[in-house]
Each structure stands twice: as C-alpha cells, then as structure tokens.
Amino acid sequence: MTQQTFSGEDFSRRFRNALGMFATGITVVTTRSPAGEAIGLTVNSFNSVSLDPPLIVWSLSNDLPSRGVFEGCEYYAINVLAEDQAELSQRFASRLDDKFAGLDFETGVGGIPLLKGCCARFECRNTVRHEGGDHLVFISEVLSFDREDRQPLLYFAGGYRRLAG
C-alpha cells in the first residue's frame, strides 16, 4: 500500500472513498423540535464511547438545517436500522418535509420518536457537543436502550450491504 497525498476536490473525493472502506451500521437519529415536531436524519457516524457511564458518540454536518434542533434538544434517540430498513435510511436521508408521514412509531423520554423494527434503540440525554471541522460531535449519556435479535443494515463503499451467512 502506498501513501498518497492529494489536494482540493481530488483530496476530498479520495479521502471520502478511503473512509468508505470502513463498514458502518446505519442509524436514524430522532428528536423533537421546540414546537414538538418529530425530526430525524440518517447518520452512520455513530459509535460507543464508554460503558461506565454509558456514553455514545455521533456527528452531524454543520450545513444541515436540523443542526440547531439537535444541538439544542434535551433528548434524542439513536435507532440502529435492521437489514430490511434501507427504505427508512433513504427516507431520513432525503429532503422530505415530513419524514414521519405515515410512519408508526413509539415515543420515548421527552416524547422523542422511537422507530419500530430496529436492531437497537438508544434513548440519550444531549450532554456534550464539540466543534469538529465541518461537523458537530455529540457525546451523550444513554438513559435507556433496547435491542432485537435482527441483522443490521450496513453501509460500505457507497452502498447498502448485508452480513453474509
């Protein structure tokens, strides 16, 4: 493997492609706006931080319109999508006005939307935020969680994937 250095758009594209070689799960992060509107977006920058206390981390692009809602909310949920939920990933990655239209969901702490049929769901308190380049990084306390024995939806090299076997 040879190390390469790039600049400008070439660097950004090649860096993104290299990052895409790390397979990730797909999550939908959900909360409520100050007016009570259900808000959600697809995120694959999610990971565990600590077991004691239980902490998770995820990041959000600075240029997304919902950044202020997530930055200011008290609670949000991380919904880890199952392999048959690619449509939900696409829905929450889209620019639809009401991404929850027609969806049957449950509610968690503070009224946050909890998607059904997920592999796992984490209800979190929005505790610490850090500027991180072109993203805002969230480190948050997990208040409760649940899980189902389902296969996850994965993302690798620019496409959805499933676990083999």
Side-chain angles (χ1 to χ4, degrees), residues 49-113:
V49 173
S50 169
L51 293 176
D52 186 17
L55 300 173
I56 56 90
V57 62
W58 66 284
S59 64
L60 176 64
S61 176
N62 288 337
D63 61 2
L64 290 176
S66 58
R67 177 191 161 159
V69 173
F70 281 99
E71 188 174 14
C73 72
E74 185 173 359
Y75 304 105
Y76 58 77
I78 307 287
N79 301 271
V80 181
L81 298 186
E83 68 182 351
D84 63 349
Q85 294 181 307
E87 182 277 325
L88 274 179
S89 173
Q90 293 168 341
R91 174 190 286 234
F92 283 94
S94 76
R95 298 195 184 273
L96 286 173
D97 287 334
D98 183 2
K99 296 174 184 175
F100 288 87
L103 279 185
D104 185 24
F105 59 88
E106 299 169 343
T107 55
V109 63
I112 57 174

Side-chain angles (χ1 to χ4, degrees), residues 24-69:
T24 65
I26 301 291
T27 68
V28 172
V29 183
T30 56
T31 193
R32 293 266 179 200
S33 73
E37 177 187 7
I39 305 290
L41 62 130
T42 299
V43 170
N44 72 340
S45 61
F46 164 75
N47 212 331
S48 62
V49 173
S50 169
L51 293 176
D52 186 17
L55 300 173
I56 56 90
V57 62
W58 66 284
S59 64
L60 176 64
S61 176
N62 288 337
D63 61 2
L64 290 176
S66 58
R67 177 191 161 159
V69 173

